[in-house]
Every structure is written in structure tokens, then in C-alpha cells.
Amino acid sequence: MEIIGIIIVAIFVNNVVLSQFLGICPFLGVSKKVDTAIGMGLAVTFVLTIATIVTFLLQKGILEPFGLGYLQTISFILVIAALVQMVEIVLKKISPALYQALGVFLPLITTNCVILGVAILVIQKDYNLMQSVIYAVSTAIGYAMALIIFSSIREQLALTRVPAAMKGIPLALITAGIMAMAFMGFSGIDQVFK
């Protein structure tokens, strides 16, 4: 029941982008096309899962035993940057079209605070490795789901007539705000799993 609670809460209740407001820059930047949003969601899922495992092992295996907890942030950032470089190289070889579609947004994963935020949150929540991986994957699914829904709405809004002052980012921010309010409807679910 605890695992199901972690999954439901991470995806819906504490959605990392709509509730905790982490990763807003890529959320707005990559959400113009559904295809790009799906690619970004998959890239974030992969990097987030691997980064959580590696940073968890780093924290529990090196930083805590040797009293180096003060190096947590900088070491996590270095690990995440290295992982993103690896994903970029792999995407360039395996899927050049997706690599081109993501363009400048792939390096944004390096500075995407979702990745660093989840890596730090699993340590703060005192999760074990299995719970950390489940939380990371669930958070990534929630992020990808919000990104894909948002990009679908933006594609439809691009076909409608809107006032000139509302085109682009203003309408995107209003849409994101409405989505965040809709996700607030899930806020009572987390009490079921306590």
C-alpha cells in the first residue's frame, strides 16, 4: 500500500511541475508540439531514474559515511551533468530526429531543477533505494503526463483565434495555471495512503 501511495502522490498530488513548480522552463519551452513533449518526457524519465539511483548510492555510500554531506548539492549537479551528456550522445546516435527536435532543450535537462530536486527529495524523505526509484519514476511519469497534456492543449490553442496580447506565453501561463488548479482536486487522495 505504501508503494501505491508513493506512486499516486508523486504523479497526481505533488506533481512536480504543477504543484511544486519545478522544471517550469522546459515545461513552457518544449510544450509547443506533442512529439517534442513526448521525447522530453522520455529523456527526463530516463535521466531522472538513473540520476536518482546514482545520487542515492553516492549519498549513502560516500557522502554520509565520510561526513561529506555539505558536498551533496555540488556532487549531485556534477553527476546529473555527466548523465545528461551521456543521454545526449546516445540520442544523437540512436535518434537524430529526436535529437534535432529537442535542440537546445536537451542541455536544459542539466539545469532542470526537477532532476536535482527529486535527487535531494528522496534523501530528505529518507526513502530506501527501491522507494527512491519508484518515487523518481512516478515523478517523471507525472512530469511527462503534465507536459504532454499541456502540449496537446497548446497545439489546439494555436489553431484558435486569440487576442494578440494573449498569444504565446501569456496564454500558456494561464493554461498552466488552470491545469495546476485542476490537479489540486487530487489533494485529498494522499490522506488515504497515510
Side-chain angles (χ1 to χ4, degrees):
M1 190 69 156
E2 181 184 358
I3 300 299
I4 294 170
I6 290 172
I7 294 169
I8 299 296
V9 169
I11 293 173
F12 297 107
V13 179
N14 292 331
N15 186 287
V16 73
V17 73
L18 297 174
S19 177
Q20 298 177 3
F21 307 114
L22 297 174
I24 297 292
C25 182
F27 182 71
L28 292 173
V30 185
S31 61
K32 291 180 182 174
K33 293 183 180 178
V34 173
D35 295 339
T36 310
I38 291 170
M40 183 66 153
L42 292 173
V44 167
T45 302
F46 177 74
V47 171
L48 185 57
T49 305
I50 301 300
T52 301
I53 293 169
V54 173
T55 55
F56 180 88
L57 295 174
L58 176 68
Q59 178 75 23
K60 299 297 182 183
I62 297 173
L63 298 179
E64 283 181 9
F66 294 105
L68 300 172
Y70 60 90
L71 293 175
Q72 180 188 54
T73 304
I74 191 71
S75 59
F76 284 14
I77 289 171
L78 291 173
V79 166
I80 292 165
L83 287 171
V84 169
Q85 291 302 313
M86 182 182 71
V87 168
E88 192 170 351
I89 290 167
V90 169
L91 269 182
K92 196 173 187 179
K93 296 252 185 209
I94 293 175
S95 178
L98 180 58
Y99 177 78
Q100 289 294 336
L102 289 174
V104 73
F105 298 109
L106 189 58
L108 277 178
I109 295 176
T110 305
T111 58
N112 190 341
C113 52
V114 170
I115 310 295
L116 180 61
V118 170
I120 291 173
L121 278 173
V122 297
I123 302 300
Q124 288 177 347
K125 291 177 183 277
D126 201 28
Y127 285 158
N128 60 34
L129 183 58
M130 184 183 75
Q131 291 170 324
S132 298
V133 171
I134 290 169
Y135 181 77
V137 170
S138 301
T139 301
I141 289 169
Y143 181 81
M145 181 185 68
L147 186 60
I148 292 166
I149 292 169
F150 186 61
S151 64
S152 300
I153 294 170
R154 284 189 75 182
E155 276 189 358
Q156 290 299 313
L157 288 174
L159 302 174
T160 61
R161 291 180 45 186
V162 295
M166 295 300 292
K167 285 185 180 179
I169 297 296
L171 190 57
L173 290 173
I174 290 169
T175 304
I178 293 170
M179 281 181 62
M181 287 191 299
F183 270 71
M184 284 175 57
F186 295 114
S187 62
I189 293 175
D190 61 335
Q191 299 302 315
V192 173
F193 298 103
K194 290 188 178 182

